[in-house]
Amino acid sequence: MSYYVRAFCTHGDPPPLGPVLAYSAERGASLTLDPEISNPDVDDGDWEQVGVVYKENKASILFEVNRDEGDESLMREEIVEFIELLEDVPKGWNRRRVEKHLRKTRFIVSARLPVFDIDDDGYAALGHVLTYLVENNGAMTQADGEGFYEGGKVILVLD
């Protein structure tokens, strides 16, 4: 079973993995790439999927980037799905803010967490990656079964 968290990014392009890993290391999380999943150039932002190891003998967190590649792109399909989900949420300032952010999204970084094999260090590692995307790529985060976040605060609940 997996749990998904997404970062809807509105600024720039998907970052190279090197700066993301360095950012995490500066905050005490020594992350490495799982060579069994992929082995992208850490200095190039042209990655699609990568496994991140946060602790030996723990399952990797799988990250995937979906770019806006036109009307038929997976990223645009996800945006449409999330905007449709918002129709069930009462109208208000936070709903408008989330919808506006979704419409400005340039790329989405999705994290698939292995809920069967993750601990507090894994959640902390995820937090560092998400914070990097918030600070550098204008991300707003969304967690399945929870909703949309700004910083560590839920601003819009989605069931």
Side-chain angles (χ1 to χ4, degrees):
M1 181 173 184
S2 296
Y3 175 75
Y4 286 86
V5 177
R6 294 166 189 83
F8 292 87
C9 301
T10 58
H11 302 306
D13 295 313
L17 296 166
V20 177
L21 298 175
Y23 180 92
S24 297
E26 290 168 3
R27 283 144 187 83
S30 179
L31 307 179
T32 59
L33 301 181
D34 186 339
E36 292 182 20
I37 295 174
S38 66
N39 199 13
D41 180 351
V42 296
D43 296 321
D44 185 357
D46 194 30
W47 57 278
E48 291 182 21
Q49 191 175 67
V50 64
V52 172
V53 178
Y54 68 92
K55 186 184 281 184
E56 193 173 327
N57 298 320
K58 288 288 188 183
S60 298
I61 299 171
L62 184 63
F63 289 91
E64 180 178 301
V65 64
N66 291 303
R67 296 165 177 80
D68 187 352
E69 297 172 336
D71 291 338
E72 302 298 316
S73 70
L74 179 59
M75 191 216 83
R76 289 220 187 156
E77 288 177 21
E78 276 197 276
I79 296 297
V80 168
E81 288 174 17
F82 276 98
I83 289 173
E84 288 173 357
L85 285 173
L86 294 180
E87 292 174 5
D88 296 332
V89 176
K91 292 181 179 180
W93 192 76
N94 284 342
R95 176 180 157 178
R96 285 190 303 276
R97 188 164 64 175
V98 169
E99 185 173 345
K100 183 178 178 182
H101 190 94
L102 290 172
R103 291 186 189 284
K104 291 179 10 181
T105 297
R106 296 172 50 100
F107 64 94
I108 302 169
V109 176
S110 301
R112 186 175 78 190
L113 285 72
V115 294
F116 63 90
D117 191 31
I118 193 166
D119 61 19
D120 289 344
D121 292 334
Y123 290 111
L126 172 67
H128 297 312
V129 173
L130 294 175
T131 300
Y132 180 93
L133 294 168
V134 167
E135 292 178 2
N136 294 280
N137 298 101
M140 178 181 283
T141 58
Q142 177 275 332
D144 283 356
E146 296 177 40
F148 285 89
Y149 285 77
E150 271 191 348
K153 182 180 176 192
V154 176
I155 63 164
L156 193 68
V157 175
L158 286 180
D159 295 328

